[in-house]
């Protein structure tokens, strides 16, 4: 594997190997000796054009645990402000000795362009509405650890599916891993096409009880999603995981969200902070999965 731009087309064994490798790294992180030298001498550069907390920091931490040098490019204080183009910027990062780029950008397909321009392995850390492959893998790892297996799990992706790169990554990979995915949202926030052939529902209440995993998505206001919905309270009452809905979940069901969460909109406090919430486990699993992806992208695994 050279870089990771998309999960589309990856086979079950390839996805399974990444999850297995992440589990091994997870065990390593729990032990006393957390560091390895697998990527010693390798320079990993993070190139983030959109805000990030967990994705950026977990990539940096993952690279550090593998013994890599980490450079971090910040567009706001860079020569982009002086008119340098994106292509010249990434060629500069390559000339500075980057061996692998981790790219987040608002434009769909930009990580692929960067890979073409530089010839370097690129890991997609979120491209607009495109995909967010490592979030999907972190979530698959979280579910596999919690339930023991992915095959047959019934997952509802709830909310702004149309604008969600997280949902798109899930749709390309989770059915391959045996997860039964249903999309649940208002028509204005559902995808225009359904190339995955998954079930689609517009009523959360009728779909809720049959789910093992309720996966909530943030309404992507920055991508124009609010236009399709009259008000935050109208959204919360139809698609938010409220206290009432929480009490109707299957006894073993869990709640997931990629973060950042908007409390009182897609999720109530009791759901976010309660015992069914895997939200912080998803964050924690972001580190070993990114170790697995970086190692694989550099041919170390
Ligand atoms: C998501 C993203 O940026 O795609 N967050 C994340 O990386 N964990 C989801 C979001 O912003 O809603």
């Amino acid at each position: 594997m050279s870089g990771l731009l998309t999960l589309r087309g990856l086979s079950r064994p390839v996805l399974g190997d990444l999850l297995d490798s992440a589990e091994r790294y997870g065990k390593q992180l729990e032990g006393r000796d957390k560091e390895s030298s697998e990527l010693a001498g390798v320079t990993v550069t993070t190139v983030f054009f959109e805000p990030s907390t967990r994705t950026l920091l977990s990539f940096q931490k993952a690279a550090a645990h593998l013994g890599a040098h980490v450079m971090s490019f910040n567009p706001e204080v860079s020569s982009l402000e002086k008119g340098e183009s994106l292509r010249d910027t990434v060629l500069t990062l390559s000339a500075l000795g980057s061996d692998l780029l981790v790219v987040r950008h608002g434009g769909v397909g930009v990580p692929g362009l960067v890979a073409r321009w530089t010839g370097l392995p690129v890991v997609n850390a979120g491209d607009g509405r495109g995909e967010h492959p490592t979030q999907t893998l972190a979530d698959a790892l979280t579910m596999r650890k919690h339930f023991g297996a992915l095959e047959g799990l019934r997952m509802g992706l709830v909310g702004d599916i149309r604008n969600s790169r997280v949902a798109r990554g899930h749709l390309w990979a989770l059915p391959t891993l045996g997860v039964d995915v249903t999309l649940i949202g208002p028509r204005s926030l559902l995808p225009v096409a359904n190339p995955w052939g998954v079930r689609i529902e517009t009523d959360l209440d009728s779909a809720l009880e049959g789910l093992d995993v309720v996966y909530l998505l943030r309404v992507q206001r920055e991508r124009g999603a609010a236009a399709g919905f009259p008000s935050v309270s109208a959204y919360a009452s139809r698609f938010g995981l409220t206290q009432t809905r929480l009490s109707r979940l299957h006894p073993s069901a869990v709640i997931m969200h990629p973060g950042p969460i908007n409390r009182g909109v897609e999720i109530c406090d009791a759901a976010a902070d309660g015992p069914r919430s895997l939200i912080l486990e998803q964050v924690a699993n972001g580190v070993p999965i990114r170790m697995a992806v970086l190692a694989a992208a550099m041919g170390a695994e």
Side-chain angles (χ1 to χ4, degrees):
M1 190 169 102
S2 169
L4 179 62
L5 299 173
T6 175
L7 296 174
R8 187 174 182 171
L10 294 192
S11 67
R12 190 186 278 220
V14 168
L15 295 167
D17 282 351
L18 285 170
L19 297 179
D20 292 345
S21 151
E23 280 212 38
R24 286 195 296 277
Y25 285 123
K27 294 215 171 75
Q28 181 183 316
L29 294 177
E30 283 162 21
R32 265 170 54 114
D33 195 8
K34 296 185 172 31
E35 312 305 324
S36 83
S37 53
E38 275 167 86
L39 294 193
V42 167
T43 297
V44 172
T45 304
T46 55
V47 191
F48 277 52
F49 289 89
E50 284 193 336
S52 175
T53 300
R54 57 222 102 213
T55 305
L56 176 61
L57 292 176
S58 60
F59 266 112
Q60 292 178 342
K61 191 165 193 286
H65 281 306
L66 292 167
H69 292 291
V70 182
M71 289 204 293
S72 191
F73 169 79
N74 178 353
E76 276 154 36
V77 292
S78 73
S79 292
L80 279 169
E81 295 290 314
K82 301 180 190 167
E84 189 160 50
S85 72
L86 177 61
R87 183 170 181 276
D88 289 329
T89 300
V90 294
L91 289 175
T92 301
L93 298 175
S94 172
L96 280 168
S98 301
D99 298 299
L100 180 150
L101 302 175
V102 179
V103 177
R104 169 171 287 197
H105 195 282
V108 176
V110 168
L113 271 180
V114 171
R116 266 225 317 274
W117 288 333
T118 60
L120 292 174
V122 171
V123 178
N124 179 359
D127 60 327
R129 297 183 179 84
E131 240 188 273
H132 190 353
T134 57
Q135 181 67 46
T136 295
L137 293 169
D139 294 340
L141 179 64
T142 304
M143 291 190 287
R144 198 173 83 164
K145 282 170 75 176
H146 182 86
F147 290 102
L150 293 169
E151 184 71 50
L153 282 182
R154 294 158 305 171
M155 175 194 240
L157 287 177
V158 184
D160 185 4
I161 296 138
R162 184 175 296 185
N163 295 297
S164 172
R165 54 192 173 208
V166 173
R168 217 149 273 111
H170 284 23
L171 284 160
W172 288 126
L174 296 184
T176 308
L177 290 164
V179 179
D180 175 18
V181 178
T182 302
L183 307 182
I184 307 164
R187 287 202 193 286
S188 61
L189 297 180
L190 285 169
V192 184
N194 179 9
W196 315 279
V198 295
R199 219 172 309 105
I200 295 185
E201 304 273 356
T202 52
D203 180 20
L204 176 58
D205 289 303
S206 62
L208 209 55
E209 279 163 27
L211 299 175
D212 300 304
V213 180
V214 182
Y215 194 104
L216 304 159
L217 295 162
R218 184 177 66 84
V219 178
Q220 308 271 304
R221 294 179 181 283
E222 71 277 30
R223 303 190 212 286
F229 233 86
S231 71
V232 164
S233 62
Y235 180 86
S237 75
R238 276 188 63 200
F239 293 100
L241 186 55
T242 56
Q243 188 89 49
T244 315
R245 292 195 176 108
L246 184 61
S247 65
R248 290 189 39 232
L249 294 185
H250 188 274
S252 60
V254 298
I255 296 158
M256 298 179 73
H257 191 306
I261 61 175
N262 283 158
R263 291 170 183 264
V265 185
E266 71 269 10
I267 190 165
C268 69
D269 287 341
D273 304 328
R276 294 171 182 279
S277 169
L278 299 186
I279 295 171
L280 292 176
E281 284 176 46
Q282 292 172 260
V283 177
N285 285 326
V287 177
I289 201 73
R290 291 179 173 109
M291 290 174 77
V293 167
L294 291 174
M298 290 306 297
E301 265 279 315

